[in-house]
Amino acid sequence: MADPVPGGAGPSAADPVATAEPATGGRPGGAGTDGSPAGPASAAAADPGGPADPVAPARATGRWRGWRDRRPFWGGLLVLLGGAEILFTLKAPLPVILHIGMQGLAGYLVPVVMVICGALILFNPAQRLFYSVLGVLASLASWLTSNLGGFLIGMMLGAVGACLSFGWLPDQPPRRRRARRAAARGTAPGGPVSGGKAPGGEAAGPAGA
Protein backbone atom coordinates (compact mmCIF):
# COMPACT_ATOMS: atom_id res chain seq x y z
CA MET A 1 0.00 0.00 0.00
CA ALA A 2 1.47 3.34 -1.10
CA ASP A 3 1.98 6.10 1.42
CA PRO A 4 0.34 9.52 0.90
CA VAL A 5 2.47 12.40 -0.29
CA PRO A 6 3.96 14.18 2.69
CA GLY A 7 3.06 17.76 3.19
CA GLY A 8 -0.61 17.71 2.25
CA ALA A 9 -3.39 15.87 0.51
CA GLY A 10 -3.00 17.42 -2.96
CA PRO A 11 -3.54 15.48 -6.17
CA SER A 12 -0.82 13.17 -7.34
CA ALA A 13 1.33 13.87 -10.42
CA ALA A 14 -0.15 10.84 -12.19
CA ASP A 15 -3.70 12.08 -11.87
CA PRO A 16 -4.92 12.80 -15.44
CA VAL A 17 -7.82 14.97 -14.33
CA ALA A 18 -5.62 17.34 -12.39
CA THR A 19 -2.87 17.69 -15.00
CA ALA A 20 -5.00 17.95 -18.16
CA GLU A 21 -5.45 21.39 -19.64
CA PRO A 22 -7.92 22.63 -22.27
CA ALA A 23 -6.75 22.06 -25.82
CA THR A 24 -7.78 25.41 -27.12
CA GLY A 25 -7.54 27.45 -23.98
CA GLY A 26 -10.55 28.99 -22.29
CA ARG A 27 -9.11 32.48 -22.34
CA PRO A 28 -9.74 34.92 -25.23
CA GLY A 29 -6.69 35.38 -27.38
CA GLY A 30 -5.28 31.95 -26.51
CA ALA A 31 -3.49 29.63 -28.91
CA GLY A 32 -5.27 26.96 -30.94
CA THR A 33 -4.54 23.27 -31.19
CA ASP A 34 -1.77 23.81 -33.74
CA GLY A 35 -0.12 26.54 -31.70
CA SER A 36 -1.29 29.42 -33.93
CA PRO A 37 -2.73 32.45 -32.13
CA ALA A 38 -6.51 32.73 -32.24
CA GLY A 39 -6.41 36.46 -33.02
CA PRO A 40 -8.62 38.63 -35.23
CA ALA A 41 -6.70 37.62 -38.38
CA SER A 42 -7.71 33.97 -38.06
CA ALA A 43 -11.27 34.98 -37.24
CA ALA A 44 -11.47 37.18 -40.34
CA ALA A 45 -10.08 34.36 -42.48
CA ALA A 46 -12.73 31.97 -41.16
CA ASP A 47 -15.51 34.49 -41.69
CA PRO A 48 -17.10 33.92 -45.11
CA GLY A 49 -18.68 37.36 -45.08
CA GLY A 50 -15.43 39.28 -44.81
CA PRO A 51 -14.31 42.13 -47.08
CA ALA A 52 -14.23 41.44 -50.82
CA ASP A 53 -11.04 40.96 -52.77
CA PRO A 54 -9.74 44.44 -53.77
CA VAL A 55 -8.10 42.96 -56.89
CA ALA A 56 -11.45 41.83 -58.39
CA PRO A 57 -12.45 45.29 -59.78
CA ALA A 58 -9.01 45.68 -61.37
CA ARG A 59 -9.34 42.26 -63.00
CA ALA A 60 -12.80 43.11 -64.34
CA THR A 61 -11.49 46.41 -65.72
CA GLY A 62 -8.58 44.60 -67.38
CA ARG A 63 -10.92 42.07 -69.01
CA TRP A 64 -13.16 44.87 -70.28
CA ARG A 65 -10.20 46.75 -71.76
CA GLY A 66 -8.90 43.57 -73.39
CA TRP A 67 -12.29 42.86 -74.96
CA ARG A 68 -12.59 46.45 -76.18
CA ASP A 69 -9.09 46.56 -77.68
CA ARG A 70 -9.68 43.43 -79.78
CA ARG A 71 -12.41 45.06 -81.89
CA PRO A 72 -13.31 48.47 -83.44
CA PHE A 73 -15.33 49.39 -80.38
CA TRP A 74 -15.94 53.09 -80.99
CA GLY A 75 -16.71 52.63 -84.68
CA GLY A 76 -19.33 49.95 -84.05
CA LEU A 77 -20.81 51.94 -81.19
CA LEU A 78 -21.21 55.05 -83.36
CA VAL A 79 -22.92 53.09 -86.13
CA LEU A 80 -25.31 51.54 -83.60
CA LEU A 81 -26.07 54.91 -82.00
CA GLY A 82 -26.63 56.50 -85.42
CA GLY A 83 -29.24 53.91 -86.35
CA ALA A 84 -30.93 54.21 -82.96
CA GLU A 85 -31.10 58.01 -83.31
CA ILE A 86 -32.74 57.74 -86.73
CA LEU A 87 -35.31 55.29 -85.36
CA PHE A 88 -36.03 57.70 -82.52
CA THR A 89 -36.66 60.59 -84.93
CA LEU A 90 -39.13 58.43 -86.87
CA LYS A 91 -41.22 58.07 -83.71
CA ALA A 92 -40.77 61.66 -82.53
CA PRO A 93 -43.95 63.80 -82.33
CA LEU A 94 -42.89 66.19 -85.09
CA PRO A 95 -45.20 67.90 -87.62
CA VAL A 96 -42.90 67.03 -90.55
CA ILE A 97 -41.95 63.37 -91.00
CA LEU A 98 -40.42 62.19 -94.26
CA HIS A 99 -41.03 58.62 -95.45
CA ILE A 100 -40.84 56.99 -98.86
CA GLY A 101 -41.66 53.53 -100.12
CA MET A 102 -44.52 51.20 -99.30
CA GLN A 103 -46.04 52.63 -96.10
CA GLY A 104 -42.67 54.07 -95.12
CA LEU A 105 -41.02 50.61 -94.92
CA ALA A 106 -37.67 51.91 -96.21
CA GLY A 107 -37.67 54.60 -93.52
CA TYR A 108 -37.57 51.90 -90.84
CA LEU A 109 -35.50 49.31 -92.72
CA VAL A 110 -32.44 51.52 -93.25
CA PRO A 111 -31.84 52.45 -89.56
CA VAL A 112 -32.52 48.86 -88.51
CA VAL A 113 -29.76 47.75 -90.90
CA MET A 114 -27.46 50.35 -89.29
CA VAL A 115 -28.19 49.03 -85.80
CA ILE A 116 -27.54 45.44 -86.90
CA CYS A 117 -24.29 46.43 -88.61
CA GLY A 118 -23.09 48.24 -85.48
CA ALA A 119 -23.84 45.21 -83.29
CA LEU A 120 -22.11 42.84 -85.72
CA ILE A 121 -19.02 45.07 -85.84
CA LEU A 122 -18.79 44.81 -82.05
CA PHE A 123 -19.42 41.08 -81.69
CA ASN A 124 -17.99 39.77 -84.98
CA PRO A 125 -14.98 41.97 -85.76
CA ALA A 126 -13.52 39.44 -88.21
CA GLN A 127 -16.05 40.60 -90.85
CA ARG A 128 -15.81 44.28 -89.98
CA LEU A 129 -14.94 45.36 -93.53
CA PHE A 130 -18.20 44.08 -95.00
CA TYR A 131 -20.27 45.44 -92.13
CA SER A 132 -18.60 48.86 -92.29
CA VAL A 133 -19.24 49.18 -96.04
CA LEU A 134 -22.88 48.16 -95.54
CA GLY A 135 -23.15 50.59 -92.63
CA VAL A 136 -21.86 53.59 -94.56
CA LEU A 137 -24.21 52.81 -97.49
CA ALA A 138 -27.17 52.58 -95.12
CA SER A 139 -26.11 55.83 -93.45
CA LEU A 140 -26.03 57.68 -96.77
CA ALA A 141 -29.34 56.13 -97.83
CA SER A 142 -31.00 57.40 -94.66
CA TRP A 143 -30.74 60.94 -96.09
CA LEU A 144 -33.48 60.04 -98.55
CA THR A 145 -35.54 57.59 -96.53
CA SER A 146 -35.53 58.60 -92.86
CA ASN A 147 -35.99 62.27 -91.98
CA LEU A 148 -32.88 63.48 -93.80
CA GLY A 149 -30.71 60.97 -91.97
CA GLY A 150 -32.21 61.65 -88.55
CA PHE A 151 -31.83 65.37 -89.17
CA LEU A 152 -28.22 64.84 -90.23
CA ILE A 153 -27.10 63.62 -86.78
CA GLY A 154 -27.72 59.90 -87.23
CA MET A 155 -26.29 59.91 -90.75
CA MET A 156 -23.05 61.56 -89.58
CA LEU A 157 -22.69 59.19 -86.62
CA GLY A 158 -23.17 56.16 -88.86
CA ALA A 159 -20.77 57.39 -91.56
CA VAL A 160 -18.01 58.30 -89.09
CA GLY A 161 -18.41 55.04 -87.19
CA ALA A 162 -18.30 52.98 -90.40
CA CYS A 163 -15.12 54.76 -91.49
CA LEU A 164 -13.48 54.13 -88.12
CA SER A 165 -14.43 50.46 -88.31
CA PHE A 166 -13.07 50.13 -91.86
CA GLY A 167 -9.73 51.69 -90.94
CA TRP A 168 -9.26 49.76 -87.68
CA LEU A 169 -6.34 47.31 -87.61
CA PRO A 170 -6.08 44.53 -85.01
CA ASP A 171 -2.24 44.59 -84.90
CA GLN A 172 -1.71 48.33 -84.74
CA PRO A 173 0.79 49.53 -82.10
CA PRO A 174 -0.64 51.19 -79.00
CA ARG A 175 -0.63 54.93 -78.75
CA ARG A 176 1.97 56.74 -76.72
CA ARG A 177 -0.46 57.74 -73.98
CA ARG A 178 -1.77 54.18 -73.64
CA ALA A 179 1.78 52.81 -73.60
CA ARG A 180 2.73 55.25 -70.83
CA ARG A 181 -0.32 54.22 -68.78
CA ALA A 182 0.54 50.54 -69.25
CA ALA A 183 4.14 51.20 -68.17
CA ALA A 184 2.93 53.11 -65.12
CA ARG A 185 0.61 50.28 -64.11
CA GLY A 186 3.40 47.73 -64.53
CA THR A 187 5.82 49.60 -62.24
CA ALA A 188 6.31 47.88 -58.89
CA PRO A 189 6.06 49.92 -55.64
CA GLY A 190 9.69 49.20 -54.79
CA GLY A 191 11.01 50.03 -58.25
CA PRO A 192 10.33 49.54 -61.95
CA VAL A 193 9.79 46.08 -63.37
CA SER A 194 12.04 44.47 -65.94
CA GLY A 195 12.14 46.40 -69.16
CA GLY A 196 10.47 49.47 -67.67
CA LYS A 197 11.83 52.90 -66.92
CA ALA A 198 12.76 54.40 -63.62
CA PRO A 199 10.95 57.52 -62.34
CA GLY A 200 13.95 59.60 -63.37
CA GLY A 201 13.65 58.45 -66.98
CA GLU A 202 16.61 55.97 -67.03
CA ALA A 203 16.01 52.61 -68.64
CA ALA A 204 15.97 49.68 -66.28
CA GLY A 205 18.41 46.82 -66.71
CA PRO A 206 17.58 43.15 -67.35
CA ALA A 207 17.05 42.54 -63.66
CA GLY A 208 14.86 45.62 -63.28
CA ALA A 209 17.46 47.41 -61.16
Side-chain angles (χ1 to χ4, degrees):
M1 182 174 180
D3 295 335
V5 179
S12 62
D15 190 359
V17 178
T19 58
E21 294 182 2
T24 58
R27 300 179 302 275
T33 55
D34 56 349
S36 60
S42 59
D47 186 11
D53 187 8
V55 188
R59 292 177 180 173
T61 304
R63 286 194 297 267
W64 161 252
R65 288 178 178 174
W67 182 87
R68 186 186 63 184
D69 292 341
R70 290 192 299 269
R71 64 204 68 242
F73 177 76
W74 296 112
L77 183 63
L78 289 178
V79 175
L80 193 149
L81 290 178
E85 194 271 341
I86 295 175
L87 284 174
F88 175 76
T89 58
L90 293 178
K91 292 296 185 180
L94 298 174
V96 179
I97 301 294
L98 304 178
H99 300 288
I100 65 172
M102 186 186 309
Q103 297 180 355
L105 180 61
Y108 292 95
L109 183 60
V110 170
V112 168
V113 170
M114 292 177 61
V115 171
I116 294 175
C117 288
L120 290 175
I121 289 172
L122 292 176
F123 295 101
N124 189 17
Q127 304 294 330
R128 65 189 181 278
L129 298 179
F130 173 73
Y131 300 141
S132 60
V133 171
L134 188 60
V136 74
L137 292 178
S139 301
L140 297 177
S142 66
W143 174 264
L144 301 175
T145 61
S146 308
N147 289 338
L148 301 177
F151 303 108
L152 194 65
I153 298 175
M155 186 188 71
M156 293 301 297
L157 288 176
V160 171
C163 293
L164 290 177
S165 302
F166 189 86
W168 181 83
L169 296 175
D171 54 350
Q172 59 184 351
R175 297 180 179 179
R176 296 179 181 177
R177 185 179 302 176
R178 186 182 303 176
R180 286 197 298 266
R181 288 200 301 263
R185 288 196 301 268
T187 303
V193 296
S194 176
K197 289 187 176 182
E202 299 179 356

